[in-house]
Amino acid sequence: QVHVVESGGGLVQPGGSLRLSCTASGFTSHYSIGWFRQAPGKEEREGVSCISITDGDTVYGDSVKGRFAISRDKAKNTVWLQMNSLKPEDTAVYYCAASGHSETYQYCDRGDEYDFWGQGTQVTVSS
């Protein structure tokens, strides 16, 4: 049985940093993890960053390139999203999602490619 659990959200001032964690259990070593976010008042979830657990290859959304960094620890089935230089427009509920295919990370703009989702964690960037 697959479980995806994320943590680490909170309130931060503009320019600050936060680190989100995602732990996915029930997979073998070949899978992908993606971070998505849903901003207030928006229906669609935006792909933030995705990673192949197999080899560590990554994809970033244009709005976070150069500010966010995704990493993983295969042994701990854990993925981190380090978010720096946060802006008010980064305010959203952040979701971690998992796919049982190591190539799915390439489809970071397609949330429907991910089968298992966490409950979400709120990130608020405000002064």
Side-chain angles (χ1 to χ4, degrees), residues 42-100:
K42 292 193 175 181
E43 291 187 3
E44 292 185 356
R45 291 180 183 177
E46 175 191 7
V48 176
S49 184
C50 300
I51 188 167
S52 166
I53 297 300
T54 305
D55 51 22
D57 287 348
T58 60
V59 170
Y60 291 92
D62 289 341
S63 62
V64 305
K65 283 180 180 177
R67 300 189 297 123
F68 291 11
I70 192 170
S71 60
R72 98 291 191 206
D73 184 325
K74 291 174 65 174
K76 296 181 179 179
N77 290 330
T78 299
V79 169
W80 295 275
L81 183 69
Q82 178 66 42
M83 305 186 296
N84 300 323
S85 302
L86 282 162
K87 305 174 182 180
E89 51 263 44
D90 294 316
T91 295
V93 178
Y94 283 70
Y95 296 91
C96 177
S99 162

Side-chain angles (χ1 to χ4, degrees), residues 29-44:
S29 60
H30 302 289
Y31 62 100
S32 296
I33 293 289
W35 283 100
F36 297 82
R37 66 186 182 186
Q38 188 168 13
K42 292 193 175 181
E43 291 187 3
E44 292 185 356

